[in-house]
Structures are given as structure tokens and as C-alpha cells.
Amino acid sequence: MTGGPTRAEAQARDADDPLAALRERYAIPDPERIYLDGNSLGRPAYAIEERVAATVTDWGARVVEGWPDWVELPRRVGDRLAEICLGARPGEVLVADTTTVNLYKLAHAALDLRPGAVVTDADNFPTDRYVLEGVAIARGRPFILAGSAEEALAEPNAGLVCLSHVDYRSGRLLDIARHRSAAGALVIWDLSHSVGAVRIDLSQADLAIGCSYKYLNAGPGGPGFLYVRREMQDQMVSPIRGWFSQRDQFAMGPTYDPAPGIDRFMAGSPPVIGLAALDASLDLIAEAGIERLAAKGAALTQLIIELADEWLEPLGFAVATPRSPAERGSHVALRHIDAWQVCRALIERAGVVPDFRRPDLIRFGAPPIYTRFVDVWDAMDRLRDLVASGRYREVDAGTRRVT
Ligand SMILES: *Cc1c(COP(=O)(O)O)cnc(C)c1O
């Protein structure tokens, strides 16, 4: 319980970190508190405060006349996201609505192109499972919860498969190019837990969705995005026939005629302030570069795993995340029989903020853009103290809705 990398070694890695200076550009008003939940909600860059304030000023100045510019934002920010983070081409990504709504749109539209069942992995994120089941019911298709991503892809009756690129609990990362449906089903990739943290290449993917408030740090309720491969766009129609998806929106014509290209996946008015926040955040992500972010994320999670093996395994913890850096995202889940109480104690007694996922996982998310190696070291050290001393048992074991 005392070996492993030293605190001085962690500090030396920070000193060598090419991304270290970016931390100063994020609002961290409480440096004593170690925030390792950036995989749920990232921290704001100061540039976001400025951009949002400027957007409000612009709104005040131009009022309704601002719309001709603002309507371009879902595509404009989508193109930037495509280039900086997704390995997608211009005109393939739209930033609007939420991940949940975008999944609903793409799942329905995909079923127009394929017969067969709607399939996902039983461990997939809840909103994905619920939306997909609802779409299957509405379309009279079987709904199959497979035992794993591999089983979902092997399902012979699949028409549509939806998988998370990084699993929200285990942190397991799948290789998009290598994971294809044996039945030729369309695959929707949910990138919520990978975008901004790992390298993504959508050149081999047909459909994808994701959110902007985790590693992209666009703020609570930040807009979701969707990706549709260019060659497929005009074969698909959104089930939400909103006026923003209409070919000649302001003709306000009597019948629906979907716009060509990615615009047909819009629904209603775009979230302009959230788009401005994401646009500002993307400046920092671009400056850091996805390759460097991914490399640092792999190193931070490696440090969590090394310290967990060294210090925490003797205290009843087990690493529940793949050990190969090529197979994990930027968070590590540790399993412990008293995970809930340990997690509360970390937050209330030790100034460390991870999160808990039922039944027995504590997730430590290490957003590479503002997390230091010494943060990870200190968090694991405080965790070791809490559990070795038994002090975590002093906290109330009652439950709360959001951790
Ligand atoms: C966070 C997350 C979502 C969030 O969906 P919202 O519509 O933004 O609430 C969806 N899917 C996955 C896999 C997620 O991690």
C-alpha cells in the first residue's frame, strides 16, 4: 500500500506536460477540491464566459435580425467539431437538440432503410436503451438487448444496432472501423463518452450522435450533435418534421419538403447560446489537439490504474476498466463493495469529486485538458487514507438523485 509512483514523480510529469498551461484558462475556483467528474460535466473555460456574454450583447443589439447568422451555427459549429474531433467531412455534422433527441431522429430514419430488429447492448447508457425500445415499439420491430457489443453486432436479425463508443461505466473503448454488424445493420455510434477525449475517425461510420458537456466542456445542457455520412443523407428523413428541416423554411409552405443534406436533421430553433459556448470551447480543444489530449488521457488513466493496483487492491478495490490504453476512454471505474459510501466520503470528507454508478462502481474521469497528474495522485492518496482508516464509514449511506 506504499509503493507505486511518488508524488514527486507525478509533479515531474506535470512539469513535462505540453498541455499543462491550458489549465490556467479554465475556471477552477476551488483548487483544493479535486474534480474527477469531467466525464459527466466538464469545467468551463474563461473564454466561454466571454463568448456567452458577447452573444447576449449581440442578441440585445440585433434582436430578431441576428437570426440569419444564428441559423448557420448548427452547421458551422458542426463542421468545426467534425474537423477537430470526429474525422468527419464538412456537411456531415449538425449541433442541435440533445443526444437523446438526436438518437430518436437517427434511429427512426435508419429503420426506413433496413428491415429487422433494433439491437443494443444491455449495458448501454439508459437513455439509449429507452429511446431505442420506444422506437422499436412504434415501428413494430423486435427490440433486442444483447449481452455485449460483440453479441449485438453478431445478431443475425439486426436492422439497426446502437453502441457506445466508450462505455459509460467500464470505460471500454471500441474500435469503430473493426466493429461492424454481421447482418449489415446500420450502426449508430454514441460518442458522448469519447468525444474530446479520444481520437475518433468516422470515415468508416454511417451514423453517430453525442453530447458536448462532458469532455467538450460546453456547459450543463450544452447541445448534442449528430453525424450522418454524406452519401446517406438524402435517403433519410427525420421523424421530427420541424420547420428548420424544411427546404425553403421561410416560404412557410403548405407541405413538408425536407432540405437537402444534413439540414434535414434539424428540428426547431437551435440553442444559440449553447452553440456559442461550444464554439468557444472548441478553440481550446483545437489548440490542445486530439492526439495530445488522447495521449495525456491515456497517461492519466494509466496512473489511476497503477496506483489502484498498488494501494487500493489490498483494500478491496478492483479495476473495472480495460488495462490496454487502446481499449479505454478517459475515465477509470473502480469496483468496491461499499462504493456508494466511499464515493460520498470522498466528496464530503476528502474534497475529491468522482461519481458513483450502481451497483458498485466509482468512476474517476480525468479530462486531459485541465487535469494534472498530481490531482490524480492526490485523489488516490486521499482515497487510500479514507478506506484504510475506515473513516468512510462515518458518512450517511442514504442516497441522492444525481451524484
Ligand atoms: C451523457 C450521455 C447521454 C446524454 O444524453 P442527453 O440527451 O444529453 O441527456 C447520452 N448517451 C450517452 C452514452 C451518454 O454518456
Side-chain angles (χ1 to χ4, degrees):
M1 278 197 278
T2 51
T6 62
R7 191 169 196 276
E9 282 162 1
Q11 284 173 314
R13 296 182 74 171
D14 287 321
D16 283 344
D17 172 13
L19 302 180
L22 284 164
R23 177 178 166 89
E24 284 162 27
R25 291 164 59 191
Y26 285 80
I28 304 180
D30 48 357
E32 274 307 301
R33 199 164 65 125
I34 302 174
Y35 186 65
L36 294 177
D37 202 6
N39 55 318
S40 227
L41 180 67
R43 285 186 177 279
Y46 289 116
I48 293 184
E49 288 181 26
E50 289 159 28
R51 185 75 67 88
V52 167
T55 305
V56 174
T57 303
D58 181 45
W59 160 26
R62 294 204 286 169
V63 277
V64 78
E65 291 182 345
W67 268 121
D69 289 334
W70 301 330
V71 294
E72 302 293 331
L73 285 173
R75 262 188 96 129
R76 207 168 59 68
V77 180
D79 283 348
R80 292 196 73 209
L81 181 63
E83 188 191 339
I84 297 165
C85 297
L86 302 177
R89 296 168 291 180
E92 290 186 319
V93 176
L94 207 54
V95 184
D97 302 317
T98 62
T99 310
T100 303
V101 170
N102 288 330
L103 175 59
Y104 177 84
K105 291 188 287 190
L106 293 194
H108 258 290
L111 289 180
D112 291 339
L113 302 182
R114 293 283 190 286
V118 178
V119 185
T120 191
D121 151 15
D123 282 336
N124 202 354
F125 193 79
T127 208
D128 297 49
R129 289 183 279 112
Y130 306 155
V131 165
L132 292 164
E133 182 173 25
V135 170
I137 291 169
R139 302 294 291 260
R141 305 286 185 98
F143 176 62
I144 300 174
L145 280 174
S148 64
E150 283 72 12
E151 283 178 30
L153 292 166
E155 172 53 49
N157 299 318
L160 172 65
V161 177
C162 173
L163 297 173
S164 284
H165 187 210
V166 167
D167 183 275
Y168 78 107
R169 281 188 297 212
S170 72
R172 181 181 179 213
L173 166 70
L174 300 176
D175 178 344
I176 291 178
R178 291 208 352 255
H179 286 78
R180 309 199 141 263
S181 159
L186 290 170
V187 179
I188 302 178
W189 288 97
D190 188 331
L191 308 174
S192 296
H193 264 83
S194 61
V195 66
V198 303
R199 197 176 154 271
I200 298 174
D201 176 6
L202 289 181
S203 65
Q204 305 296 311
D206 291 321
L207 305 166
I209 52 169
C211 77
S212 67
Y213 49 80
K214 293 171 180 164
Y215 297 100
L216 292 179
N217 310 313
F225 63 89
L226 61 81
Y227 156 88
V228 180
R229 170 196 286 288
R230 187 188 287 157
E231 292 74 15
M232 294 177 53
Q233 291 170 0
D234 291 339
Q235 307 162 33
M236 296 174 71
V237 179
S238 172
I240 302 177
R241 297 182 164 208
W243 67 315
F244 272 74
S245 67
Q246 172 77 348
R247 187 181 292 268
D248 188 1
Q249 181 185 4
F250 288 96
M252 302 198 171
T255 52
Y256 184 65
D257 180 13
I262 195 78
D263 290 349
R264 65 176 51 202
F265 297 97
M266 286 292 295
S269 302
V272 171
I273 294 178
L275 278 156
L278 174 57
D279 197 31
S281 185
L282 284 174
D283 291 345
L284 284 105
I285 303 272
E287 198 177 318
I290 283 293
E291 298 294 340
R292 290 198 299 182
L293 289 169
K296 184 175 171 192
L300 288 166
T301 48
Q302 190 64 36
L303 181 59
I304 297 176
I305 292 173
E306 279 172 30
L307 294 174
D309 285 343
E310 196 64 48
W311 299 345
L312 304 174
E313 199 259 349
L315 298 173
F317 288 87
V319 173
T321 296
R323 285 167 181 278
S324 155
E327 289 172 29
R328 66 170 186 263
S330 216
H331 76 268
V332 173
L334 299 182
R335 181 165 277 129
H336 189 275
I337 191 159
D338 293 329
W340 165 254
Q341 239 182 328
V342 171
C343 187
R344 287 313 311 165
L346 276 170
I347 297 169
E348 290 167 21
R349 301 285 169 101
V352 176
V353 185
D355 67 16
F356 167 75
R357 284 295 173 267
R358 284 168 200 278
D360 58 359
L361 293 179
I362 309 176
R363 294 190 309 180
F364 295 90
I369 207 159
Y370 54 73
T371 306
R372 297 173 302 191
F373 289 91
V374 76
D375 295 328
V376 161
W377 197 95
D378 286 344
M380 294 298 120
D381 182 46
R382 294 183 200 178
L383 172 56
R384 167 175 61 172
D385 279 355
L386 267 182
V387 179
S389 65
R391 273 196 304 123
Y392 76 92
R393 293 211 173 83
E394 293 166 11
V395 301
D396 176 8
T399 50
R400 289 187 359 171
R401 186 161 174 243
V402 177
T403 65

